[in-house]
Amino acid sequence: MAAGLRAVKRWGLVAAAPRLAFTRSASVVKKANNGQPSWLGVGMAFGTSAAVWAFLIKEHNEDVMEYEKRKQERRHKCTGCS
């Protein structure tokens, strides 16, 4: 039985721990080139910011209109209109 275990170890049939020598890093770091910005990225950043601000301003205006409408309805106490 002991001879069988020695043979298994010798032939590499036992699952071994992964070796770190064969691992690679997936990221590559480059020095930033500030002389030539990515104009597509700059345009997307500013465009997204402008779209978000337009959406927020539109939503704010709608909320203010709804507030004013409800405020007018609260003031109206006429019983004959109901």
Side-chain angles (χ1 to χ4, degrees):
M1 179 102 179
L5 289 176
R6 281 191 298 246
V8 167
K9 287 182 182 178
R10 180 180 300 157
W11 292 327
L13 298 175
V14 177
R19 295 185 181 142
L20 296 178
F22 295 110
T23 60
R24 287 185 163 179
S25 176
S27 63
V28 178
V29 177
K30 289 190 208 176
K31 189 173 181 180
N33 185 1
N34 294 330
Q36 295 177 336
S38 170
W39 290 111
L40 178 64
V42 171
M44 299 243 333
F46 280 116
T48 303
S49 179
V52 168
W53 274 105
F55 174 75
L56 290 174
I57 290 170
K58 181 179 104 23
E59 287 293 313
H60 173 71
N61 289 339
E62 289 176 0
D63 290 343
V64 169
M65 286 174 42
E66 181 71 21
Y67 171 76
E68 293 295 332
K69 183 177 117 182
R70 290 185 182 190
K71 191 166 78 170
Q72 289 295 328
E73 288 175 356
R74 280 192 307 245
R75 285 186 190 163
H76 189 71
K77 301 288 183 180
C78 179
T79 57
C81 297
S82 301

Coordinates of all heavy atoms in Angstrom, one line a residue:
M1 N 0.8 -1.2 0.0 CA 0.0 0.0 0.0 C 0.9 1.3 0.0 O 0.6 2.2 -0.7 CB -0.9 0.0 1.2 CG -1.8 1.2 1.3 SD -3.4 0.7 0.8 CE -4.3 2.2 1.0
A2 N 1.9 1.3 0.8 CA 2.8 2.4 0.8 C 3.5 2.7 -0.5 O 3.7 3.8 -0.9 CB 3.9 2.3 1.9
A3 N 3.8 1.6 -1.2 CA 4.4 1.7 -2.5 C 3.4 2.4 -3.5 O 3.9 3.2 -4.4 CB 4.8 0.4 -3.1
G4 N 2.2 2.1 -3.4 CA 1.2 2.7 -4.2 C 1.1 4.2 -4.0 O 0.9 5.0 -4.9
L5 N 1.1 4.6 -2.7 CA 1.1 6.1 -2.4 C 2.3 6.8 -3.0 O 2.2 7.9 -3.4 CB 0.9 6.3 -0.9 CG -0.4 5.9 -0.3 CD1 -0.4 6.1 1.2 CD2 -1.5 6.8 -0.9
R6 N 3.5 6.1 -2.9 CA 4.7 6.7 -3.4 C 4.6 6.9 -4.9 O 5.0 7.9 -5.5 CB 5.9 5.9 -3.0 CG 6.4 6.1 -1.6 CD 7.7 5.5 -1.4 NE 7.6 4.0 -1.6 CZ 7.8 3.1 -0.7 NH1 8.1 3.5 0.5 NH2 7.6 1.8 -0.9
A7 N 4.0 6.0 -5.6 CA 3.9 6.1 -7.0 C 2.9 7.2 -7.4 O 3.2 7.9 -8.4 CB 3.4 4.7 -7.6
V8 N 1.9 7.3 -6.7 CA 0.9 8.4 -6.9 C 1.6 9.8 -6.8 O 1.4 10.7 -7.6 CB -0.3 8.3 -6.0 CG1 -1.2 9.6 -6.1 CG2 -1.2 7.1 -6.4
K9 N 2.4 9.9 -5.8 CA 3.1 11.2 -5.6 C 4.1 11.4 -6.7 O 4.3 12.5 -7.1 CB 3.8 11.2 -4.2 CG 2.8 11.4 -3.0 CD 3.5 11.5 -1.7 CE 2.6 11.6 -0.6 NZ 3.3 11.6 0.7
R10 N 4.8 10.4 -7.0 CA 5.9 10.5 -8.0 C 5.3 10.9 -9.4 O 5.9 11.6 -10.1 CB 6.6 9.1 -8.1 CG 7.8 9.2 -9.2 CD 8.5 7.9 -9.3 NE 9.1 7.6 -8.0 CZ 9.4 6.3 -7.6 NH1 9.2 5.3 -8.4 NH2 9.9 6.1 -6.4
W11 N 4.2 10.3 -9.8 CA 3.7 10.6 -11.1 C 2.8 11.8 -11.2 O 2.3 12.2 -12.2 CB 2.8 9.4 -11.6 CG 3.7 8.2 -11.9 CD1 5.0 8.2 -12.3 CD2 3.3 6.8 -11.7 NE1 5.4 6.9 -12.4 CE2 4.5 6.1 -12.0 CE3 2.2 6.2 -11.2 CZ2 4.4 4.7 -12.0 CZ3 2.2 4.8 -11.2 CH2 3.3 4.1 -11.5
G12 N 2.6 12.5 -10.0 CA 1.9 13.7 -10.0 C 0.4 13.6 -10.1 O -0.3 14.4 -10.6
L13 N -0.1 12.5 -9.6 CA -1.6 12.3 -9.7 C -2.3 12.9 -8.5 O -3.5 12.9 -8.5 CB -1.8 10.7 -9.7 CG -1.3 10.0 -10.9 CD1 -1.5 8.5 -10.7 CD2 -1.8 10.5 -12.2
V14 N -1.6 13.5 -7.6 CA -2.2 14.2 -6.5 C -2.4 15.6 -6.9 O -1.6 16.2 -7.5 CB -1.3 14.1 -5.2 CG1 -1.9 14.9 -4.1 CG2 -1.1 12.7 -4.8
A15 N -3.6 16.2 -6.6 CA -3.9 17.6 -6.9 C -3.0 18.5 -6.1 O -3.0 18.4 -4.9 CB -5.4 17.9 -6.6
A16 N -2.2 19.2 -6.8 CA -1.3 20.1 -6.2 C -1.8 21.6 -6.1 O -2.7 21.9 -6.9 CB 0.1 20.2 -6.9
A17 N -1.3 22.3 -5.2 CA -1.7 23.7 -5.1 C -1.3 24.5 -6.3 O -0.2 24.2 -6.9 CB -1.1 24.4 -3.8
P18 N -2.0 25.5 -6.8 CA -1.6 26.2 -8.0 C -0.3 27.0 -7.7 O -0.1 27.5 -6.6 CB -2.8 27.2 -8.2 CG -3.5 27.3 -7.0 CD -3.3 26.0 -6.2
R19 N 0.5 27.0 -8.7 CA 1.8 27.7 -8.6 C 1.7 29.2 -9.0 O 1.0 29.5 -10.0 CB 2.8 27.0 -9.4 CG 3.1 25.6 -9.0 CD 4.2 24.9 -9.7 NE 4.4 23.6 -9.2 CZ 4.6 22.6 -10.0 NH1 4.8 22.7 -11.3 NH2 4.8 21.4 -9.5
L20 N 2.3 30.0 -8.3 CA 2.2 31.4 -8.5 C 3.1 31.9 -9.7 O 3.0 33.0 -10.2 CB 2.6 32.2 -7.3 CG 1.6 32.1 -6.1 CD1 2.1 32.8 -4.9 CD2 0.2 32.5 -6.5
A21 N 4.0 31.0 -10.1 CA 4.9 31.4 -11.2 C 4.2 31.5 -12.5 O 4.7 32.2 -13.4 CB 6.0 30.3 -11.3
F22 N 3.1 30.9 -12.7 CA 2.4 31.0 -13.9 C 1.2 32.0 -14.0 O 0.5 32.0 -14.9 CB 1.8 29.6 -14.3 CG 2.9 28.6 -14.5 CD1 3.1 27.6 -13.6 CD2 3.7 28.6 -15.6 CE1 4.1 26.6 -13.8 CE2 4.7 27.7 -15.8 CZ 4.9 26.7 -14.9
T23 N 1.1 32.8 -12.9 CA 0.0 33.7 -12.9 C 0.5 35.0 -13.5 O 1.7 35.4 -13.5 CB -0.5 34.0 -11.5 OG1 0.6 34.5 -10.7 CG2 -1.1 32.8 -10.9
R24 N -0.4 35.8 -14.2 CA -0.1 37.1 -14.8 C -1.1 38.1 -14.3 O -2.2 37.8 -14.0 CB -0.2 37.0 -16.3 CG 0.9 36.2 -16.9 CD 0.7 36.3 -18.4 NE 1.9 36.0 -19.1 CZ 2.0 36.0 -20.4 NH1 1.0 36.3 -21.1 NH2 3.1 35.7 -21.0
S25 N -0.6 39.3 -14.3 CA -1.5 40.5 -14.0 C -2.3 40.8 -15.2 O -1.8 40.9 -16.3 CB -0.7 41.7 -13.5 OG -1.5 42.7 -13.3
A26 N -3.6 41.1 -15.0 CA -4.5 41.4 -16.1 C -4.5 42.9 -16.5 O -5.0 43.3 -17.5 CB -5.9 40.9 -15.8
S27 N -4.0 43.7 -15.6 CA -4.0 45.1 -15.9 C -2.6 45.6 -16.3 O -1.6 45.1 -15.9 CB -4.4 45.9 -14.6 OG -3.5 45.7 -13.6
V28 N -2.7 46.6 -17.2 CA -1.5 47.2 -17.7 C -1.6 48.7 -17.4 O -2.6 49.3 -17.7 CB -1.3 47.0 -19.2 CG1 -0.1 47.7 -19.7 CG2 -1.2 45.5 -19.5
V29 N -0.6 49.3 -16.8 CA -0.6 50.7 -16.4 C 0.2 51.5 -17.3 O 1.4 51.1 -17.6 CB -0.1 50.9 -14.9 CG1 -0.1 52.3 -14.5 CG2 -0.9 50.0 -14.0
K30 N -0.4 52.5 -17.9 CA 0.3 53.4 -18.8 C 0.4 54.8 -18.2 O -0.4 55.2 -17.4 CB -0.4 53.6 -20.1 CG -0.4 52.4 -21.0 CD -1.0 52.8 -22.4 CE -1.6 51.7 -23.1 NZ -2.3 52.2 -24.3
K31 N 1.4 55.5 -18.6 CA 1.5 56.9 -18.1 C 0.5 57.7 -18.8 O 0.3 57.6 -20.0 CB 2.9 57.4 -18.4 CG 3.2 58.7 -17.7 CD 4.7 59.1 -17.9 CE 4.9 60.4 -17.3 NZ 6.3 60.8 -17.4
A32 N -0.2 58.6 -18.1 CA -1.3 59.4 -18.7 C -0.7 60.4 -19.6 O 0.3 61.1 -19.3 CB -2.1 60.1 -17.5
N33 N -1.3 60.6 -20.7 CA -0.9 61.6 -21.7 C -1.9 62.7 -21.7 O -2.9 62.7 -22.3 CB -0.8 61.0 -23.1 CG -0.2 61.9 -24.1 OD1 0.1 63.1 -23.8 ND2 -0.2 61.5 -25.4
N34 N -1.5 63.8 -20.9 CA -2.4 64.9 -20.8 C -2.4 65.8 -22.0 O -3.2 66.7 -22.1 CB -2.1 65.7 -19.5 CG -2.4 64.8 -18.3 OD1 -3.3 64.0 -18.3 ND2 -1.7 65.0 -17.2
G35 N -1.4 65.7 -22.8 CA -1.3 66.5 -24.0 C -2.4 66.2 -25.1 O -2.8 67.1 -25.8
Q36 N -2.9 65.0 -25.1 CA -3.9 64.6 -26.0 C -5.0 63.9 -25.3 O -5.1 62.7 -25.1 CB -3.3 63.6 -27.1 CG -2.2 64.2 -27.9 CD -1.7 63.2 -28.9 OE1 -1.7 62.0 -28.6 NE2 -1.1 63.7 -30.0
P37 N -6.0 64.7 -24.8 CA -7.1 64.1 -24.1 C -8.0 63.3 -25.0 O -8.1 63.5 -26.2 CB -7.9 65.3 -23.5 CG -7.5 66.4 -24.4 CD -6.1 66.1 -24.9
S38 N -8.7 62.3 -24.4 CA -9.7 61.5 -25.2 C -10.9 62.4 -25.4 O -11.7 62.5 -24.5 CB -10.0 60.3 -24.5 OG -11.1 59.6 -25.1
W39 N -11.1 63.0 -26.6 CA -12.2 63.9 -26.8 C -13.5 63.2 -26.8 O -14.6 63.8 -26.4 CB -12.0 64.6 -28.1 CG -10.9 65.6 -28.0 CD1 -9.7 65.6 -28.6 CD2 -10.8 66.8 -27.2 NE1 -8.9 66.6 -28.3 CE2 -9.6 67.4 -27.4 CE3 -11.7 67.4 -26.3 CZ2 -9.2 68.5 -26.7 CZ3 -11.3 68.5 -25.6 CH2 -10.1 69.1 -25.8
L40 N -13.6 61.9 -27.1 CA -14.8 61.1 -27.0 C -15.2 61.0 -25.5 O -16.4 61.2 -25.2 CB -14.6 59.7 -27.6 CG -15.8 58.8 -27.5 CD1 -17.0 59.4 -28.3 CD2 -15.5 57.4 -28.0
G41 N -14.3 60.7 -24.7 CA -14.6 60.6 -23.3 C -15.0 62.0 -22.7 O -15.9 62.0 -21.8
V42 N -14.3 63.0 -23.1 CA -14.6 64.4 -22.6 C -16.1 64.8 -23.0 O -16.9 65.2 -22.2 CB -13.6 65.4 -23.1 CG1 -14.1 66.8 -22.8 CG2 -12.3 65.2 -22.5
G43 N -16.4 64.5 -24.3 CA -17.7 64.8 -24.8 C -18.8 64.0 -24.1 O -19.9 64.5 -23.8
M44 N -18.5 62.7 -23.8 CA -19.5 61.9 -23.2 C -19.7 62.3 -21.7 O -20.8 62.3 -21.2 CB -19.0 60.4 -23.2 CG -18.9 59.8 -24.5 SD -19.9 58.5 -25.0 CE -20.4 57.6 -23.7
A45 N -18.6 62.8 -21.1 CA -18.8 63.2 -19.7 C -19.6 64.5 -19.6 O -20.5 64.6 -18.8 CB -17.4 63.5 -19.1
F46 N -19.3 65.5 -20.5 CA -20.1 66.7 -20.5 C -21.5 66.5 -21.0 O -22.4 67.1 -20.5 CB -19.4 67.8 -21.3 CG -18.2 68.5 -20.6 CD1 -16.9 68.3 -21.1 CD2 -18.5 69.2 -19.5 CE1 -15.9 69.0 -20.4 CE2 -17.4 69.9 -18.8 CZ -16.1 69.7 -19.3
G47 N -21.7 65.7 -22.0 CA -23.0 65.4 -22.5 C -23.9 64.7 -21.4 O -25.0 65.0 -21.2
T48 N -23.3 63.8 -20.7 CA -24.1 63.1 -19.6 C -24.4 64.1 -18.5 O -25.5 64.1 -18.0 CB -23.2 61.9 -19.0 OG1 -22.9 61.0 -20.1 CG2 -24.0 61.2 -18.0
S49 N -23.5 64.9 -18.2 CA -23.7 65.9 -17.1 C -24.9 66.9 -17.6 O -25.8 67.2 -16.8 CB -22.5 66.7 -16.8 OG -22.7 67.7 -15.8
A50 N -24.8 67.3 -18.8 CA -25.9 68.2 -19.3 C -27.2 67.5 -19.3 O -28.2 68.1 -19.0 CB -25.5 68.7 -20.7
A51 N -27.2 66.3 -19.7 CA -28.5 65.5 -19.8 C -29.1 65.4 -18.4 O -30.3 65.5 -18.2 CB -28.3 64.2 -20.4
V52 N -28.3 65.1 -17.4 CA -28.7 64.9 -16.0 C -29.3 66.2 -15.5 O -30.3 66.2 -14.9 CB -27.6 64.3 -15.1 CG1 -28.0 64.4 -13.7 CG2 -27.3 62.9 -15.5
W53 N -28.6 67.3 -15.7 CA -29.0 68.6 -15.3 C -30.4 69.0 -15.9 O -31.3 69.5 -15.3 CB -28.0 69.7 -15.5 CG -27.0 69.8 -14.4 CD1 -25.7 69.4 -14.4 CD2 -27.2 70.3 -13.1 NE1 -25.1 69.6 -13.2 CE2 -26.0 70.2 -12.4 CE3 -28.3 70.9 -12.5 CZ2 -25.9 70.6 -11.1 CZ3 -28.2 71.4 -11.2 CH2 -27.0 71.2 -10.5
A54 N -30.5 68.7 -17.2 CA -31.8 69.0 -17.9 C -32.9 68.2 -17.3 O -34.0 68.8 -17.1 CB -31.6 68.7 -19.4
F55 N -32.7 67.0 -17.1 CA -33.7 66.1 -16.5 C -34.1 66.6 -15.1 O -35.3 66.7 -14.7 CB -33.2 64.7 -16.4 CG -34.1 63.7 -15.7 CD1 -35.3 63.3 -16.3 CD2 -33.8 63.3 -14.4 CE1 -36.1 62.5 -15.6 CE2 -34.7 62.5 -13.7 CZ -35.8 62.1 -14.3
L56 N -33.1 67.0 -14.3 CA -33.4 67.5 -12.9 C -34.2 68.8 -12.9 O -35.1 69.0 -12.1 CB -32.1 67.6 -12.1 CG -31.4 66.4 -11.7 CD1 -30.0 66.7 -11.1 CD2 -32.3 65.5 -10.8
I57 N -33.8 69.7 -13.8 CA -34.5 71.0 -13.9 C -36.0 70.7 -14.4 O -36.9 71.3 -13.9 CB -33.8 71.9 -14.9 CG1 -32.5 72.4 -14.2 CG2 -34.6 73.1 -15.3 CD1 -31.5 73.1 -15.1
K58 N -36.2 69.8 -15.4 CA -37.5 69.5 -15.8 C -38.3 68.9 -14.7 O -39.5 69.3 -14.5 CB -37.4 68.5 -17.0 CG -38.8 68.1 -17.6 CD -38.6 67.2 -18.7 CE -38.9 65.8 -18.5 NZ -39.6 65.1 -17.7
E59 N -37.8 68.0 -14.0 CA -38.5 67.4 -12.8 C -38.8 68.4 -11.8 O -39.9 68.4 -11.2 CB -37.7 66.3 -12.2 CG -37.6 65.0 -13.1 CD -38.9 64.3 -13.2 OE1 -39.6 64.1 -12.2 OE2 -39.3 64.0 -14.3
H60 N -37.9 69.3 -11.5 CA -38.1 70.4 -10.5 C -39.3 71.3 -10.9 O -40.2 71.6 -10.1 CB -36.9 71.2 -10.3 CG -37.1 72.4 -9.4 ND1 -37.3 72.3 -8.1 CD2 -37.2 73.7 -9.7 CE1 -37.5 73.5 -7.6 NE2 -37.4 74.4 -8.6
N61 N -39.3 71.7 -12.2 CA -40.4 72.5 -12.7 C -41.7 71.8 -12.6 O -42.8 72.4 -12.2 CB -40.1 73.0 -14.1 CG -39.0 74.0 -14.2 OD1 -38.6 74.6 -13.2 ND2 -38.3 74.1 -15.3
E62 N -41.8 70.5 -12.9 CA -43.0 69.8 -12.8 C -43.5 69.7 -11.4 O -44.7 69.8 -11.1 CB -42.8 68.4 -13.4 CG -42.7 68.4 -14.9 CD -42.5 67.0 -15.5 OE1 -42.4 66.0 -14.7 OE2 -42.4 66.8 -16.7
D63 N -42.5 69.5 -10.5 CA -42.9 69.4 -9.0 C -43.4 70.7 -8.5 O -44.4 70.8 -7.7 CB -41.6 69.0 -8.2 CG -41.2 67.5 -8.4 OD1 -42.1 66.8 -9.0 OD2 -40.1 67.2 -8.1
V64 N -42.8 71.8 -9.0 CA -43.3 73.2 -8.5 C -44.7 73.4 -9.1 O -45.6 73.9 -8.3 CB -42.3 74.3 -9.0 CG1 -42.9 75.6 -8.8 CG2 -41.0 74.2 -8.2
M65 N -45.0 73.0 -10.3 CA -46.3 73.2 -10.9 C -47.3 72.3 -10.1 O -48.4 72.8 -9.8 CB -46.3 72.8 -12.4 CG -45.6 73.8 -13.3 SD -45.5 73.3 -15.0 CE -47.0 72.6 -15.4
E66 N -47.0 71.1 -9.7 CA -47.9 70.2 -9.0 C -48.1 70.8 -7.6 O -49.3 70.8 -7.1 CB -47.3 68.8 -8.9 CG -48.1 67.9 -8.1 CD -49.4 67.4 -8.9 OE1 -49.4 67.6 -10.1 OE2 -50.3 67.0 -8.2
Y67 N -47.1 71.4 -7.0 CA -47.2 72.0 -5.7 C -48.2 73.2 -5.7 O -49.1 73.4 -4.9 CB -45.9 72.5 -5.2 CG -45.9 73.3 -3.9 CD1 -46.2 72.7 -2.7 CD2 -45.7 74.7 -4.0 CE1 -46.2 73.5 -1.5 CE2 -45.8 75.5 -2.8 CZ -46.0 74.9 -1.6 OH -46.1 75.6 -0.5
E68 N -48.0 74.1 -6.8 CA -48.9 75.2 -6.9 C -50.3 74.8 -7.2 O -51.3 75.4 -6.6 CB -48.4 76.1 -8.1 CG -47.1 76.8 -7.8 CD -47.1 77.8 -6.6 OE1 -48.2 78.4 -6.4 OE2 -46.1 78.0 -6.0
K69 N -50.5 73.8 -8.0 CA -51.9 73.3 -8.2 C -52.5 72.7 -7.0 O -53.7 73.1 -6.7 CB -51.8 72.1 -9.3 CG -53.1 71.6 -9.7 CD -53.0 70.5 -10.8 CE -53.5 69.2 -10.2 NZ -53.3 68.1 -11.1
R70 N -51.8 72.0 -6.2 CA -52.4 71.5 -4.9 C -52.7 72.6 -3.9 O -53.6 72.5 -3.1 CB -51.5 70.4 -4.3 CG -51.5 69.1 -5.1 CD -50.7 68.1 -4.5 NE -50.6 66.9 -5.3 CZ -50.1 65.7 -4.9 NH1 -49.7 65.6 -3.7 NH2 -50.1 64.7 -5.7
K71 N -51.8 73.6 -3.9 CA -52.0 74.7 -3.0 C -53.3 75.5 -3.4 O -54.0 75.9 -2.5 CB -50.8 75.7 -3.1 CG -50.8 76.7 -2.0 CD -49.4 77.4 -1.9 CE -49.2 78.4 -3.0 NZ -48.0 79.2 -2.8
Q72 N -53.5 75.6 -4.7 CA -54.8 76.3 -5.1 C -56.0 75.5 -4.7 O -57.0 76.0 -4.4 CB -54.7 76.5 -6.6 CG -53.8 77.6 -7.1 CD -54.2 79.0 -6.5 OE1 -55.4 79.3 -6.4 NE2 -53.2 79.8 -6.3
E73 N -55.9 74.1 -4.9 CA -57.0 73.3 -4.5 C -57.3 73.3 -3.0 O -58.5 73.2 -2.6 CB -56.7 71.8 -4.9 CG -56.8 71.6 -6.4 CD -56.3 70.2 -6.8 OE1 -55.9 69.4 -5.9 OE2 -56.4 69.9 -8.0
R74 N -56.3 73.5 -2.2 CA -56.6 73.6 -0.7 C -57.3 74.9 -0.4 O -58.0 74.9 0.6 CB -55.2 73.5 0.0 CG -54.7 72.1 0.2 CD -53.5 72.1 1.2 NE -52.5 73.1 0.8 CZ -51.3 72.8 0.4 NH1 -50.9 71.6 0.4 NH2 -50.4 73.8 0.1
R75 N -57.0 76.0 -1.1 CA -57.6 77.2 -0.8 C -59.1 77.2 -1.2 O -59.9 78.0 -0.6 CB -56.9 78.4 -1.6 CG -55.6 78.7 -1.0 CD -55.1 79.9 -1.7 NE -53.7 80.2 -1.3 CZ -52.8 80.9 -2.0 NH1 -53.2 81.5 -3.1 NH2 -51.6 81.1 -1.5
H76 N -59.5 76.5 -2.2 CA -60.8 76.5 -2.7 C -61.7 75.7 -1.7 O -61.7 74.5 -1.6 CB -60.8 75.8 -4.1 CG -62.1 75.9 -4.8 ND1 -62.6 77.1 -5.3 CD2 -63.1 75.0 -5.0 CE1 -63.8 76.9 -5.9 NE2 -64.1 75.6 -5.7
K77 N -62.6 76.4 -1.0 CA -63.4 75.8 0.0 C -64.9 75.9 -0.4 O -65.8 75.7 0.5 CB -63.3 76.6 1.4 CG -61.9 76.5 1.9 CD -61.5 75.2 2.4 CE -60.1 75.2 3.0 NZ -59.6 73.9 3.5
C78 N -65.2 76.1 -1.6 CA -66.6 76.2 -2.1 C -67.3 74.8 -2.0 O -66.8 73.8 -2.5 CB -66.6 76.7 -3.5 SG -68.3 76.8 -4.1
T79 N -68.4 74.7 -1.3 CA -69.1 73.5 -1.2 C -70.0 73.2 -2.4 O -70.4 72.1 -2.6 CB -70.0 73.5 0.1 OG1 -70.9 74.6 0.1 CG2 -69.1 73.6 1.4
G80 N -70.4 74.2 -3.1 CA -71.3 74.0 -4.3 C -70.6 73.4 -5.5 O -71.2 72.9 -6.3
C81 N -69.3 73.5 -5.5 CA -68.5 72.9 -6.7 C -68.3 71.4 -6.6 O -68.0 70.7 -7.6 CB -67.1 73.6 -6.8 SG -67.3 75.3 -7.1
S82 N -68.4 70.8 -5.4 CA -68.1 69.4 -5.2 C -69.0 68.5 -5.8 O -70.1 68.5 -6.0 CB -68.0 69.1 -3.7 OG -67.0 69.9 -3.1

